Amino acid sequence: MPDLFDLKGKVALVTGGTHGIGLAIAIELARAGARVSVNSRTPEKLEACKNVFAREKLDVFTLIFDVTKEESVNKGVSIIEKALGSIDILVNNAAIIKRIPILEMAVDDFRQVIETDLVSPLIVSKRVVPQMIAKRSGKIINMCSMMSEYGRNTVSAYGSAKGGLKQLTANMTCEWARYNIQVNGLGPGYIATDQTAPIRENGHPFNDLVMTRTPAARWGQPEDVAHAALFLASRASDFVNGHILYVDGGIRANFGYVKGENEA
């Protein structure tokens, strides 16, 4: 039933969707027929994003605004609404990470991560949701993480934000599901992007960890996450709400392997 995944007539905003997983999601939504907008604080990233869309023969509406600033978000969303119409699909994707041990981390650095990764989804959603309520229709996808569930060295701020975003997703659901708004999270596993390229080399300890811990025995691709995003953005997920969909190759299902058990 391909019409279930048809997004023609829908308007989507993917925050920070200029590269990596966010860009893959933006392209997937555009391929399904949505009119896609992408924001960034960096003109060069927006230009690169437009070039990728052009190569795919797809349209994208790009603009600069800061997701951590209410005034900037209000102005940016108003521009999108004027150009494309009210937003039907919101992907809260913009995020940063600072890899610093807790005892060495400045409080200002911790706050910056929380502001970007947890507070900005609240700011953008508050601006977009009133129109969704008026239409009695909307999709919100919050980009969660493996760190919504697990702890790791040096990512205390990121893990705190993503754990909080998981709970914010639940609370948004409790308040907005009655208006036919579906709010869900996506939790990517370990994905092959430009950012992870240095640690994906054979012999790198982290690559060995991912390959042996993941039952699928591979890194995910950005498109793996984008396909899941399309499901959550489409009519196929109209009774899916408050759920975190982990696209992780099974890593959360696995306690671990004895050396040699899952070599592919």
Side-chain angles (χ1 to χ4, degrees), residues 11 35 37 61 63 73-88 124 127-132 135:
V11 175
R35 290 171 288 174
S37 55
F61 183 81
L63 72 168
V73 168
N74 290 339
K75 289 180 179 177
V77 172
S78 294
I79 292 170
I80 294 169
E81 289 173 338
K82 186 174 181 179
L84 304 179
S86 62
I87 293 167
D88 303 289
V124 182
R127 175 58 182 82
V128 168
V129 162
Q131 290 283 358
M132 293 182 174
K135 293 188 295 185

Side-chain angles (χ1 to χ4, degrees), residues 150-228:
Y150 295 139
R152 271 192 59 77
N153 291 345
T154 75
V155 293
S156 60
Y158 183 79
S160 298
K162 293 300 185 178
L165 188 56
K166 174 187 174 184
Q167 289 305 113
L168 181 60
T169 300
N171 283 275
M172 286 176 170
T173 296
C174 291
E175 296 195 18
W176 299 335
R178 71 197 71 175
Y179 303 112
N180 192 34
I181 299 170
Q182 289 80 52
V183 187
N184 292 287
L186 265 182
Y190 294 104
I191 306 299
T193 65
D194 290 343
Q195 290 174 308
T196 60
I199 61 174
R200 283 189 282 112
E201 297 178 0
N202 287 334
H204 192 286
F206 199 83
N207 183 67
D208 292 345
L209 171 66
V210 171
M211 294 297 288
T212 56
R213 178 75 189 274
T214 304
R218 69 172 177 88
W219 287 74
Q221 297 297 318
E223 292 74 20
D224 292 322
V225 185
H227 297 331

Side-chain angles (χ1 to χ4, degrees), residues 5 7 14 21-34 36 53 56 58 222-231 233:
F5 300 95
L7 301 183
V14 182
I21 294 170
L23 177 59
I25 291 172
I27 289 173
E28 187 76 7
L29 299 183
R31 284 174 175 161
V36 173
F53 269 77
E56 297 287 330
L58 296 168
E223 292 74 20
D224 292 322
V225 185
H227 297 331
L230 176 59
F231 165 68

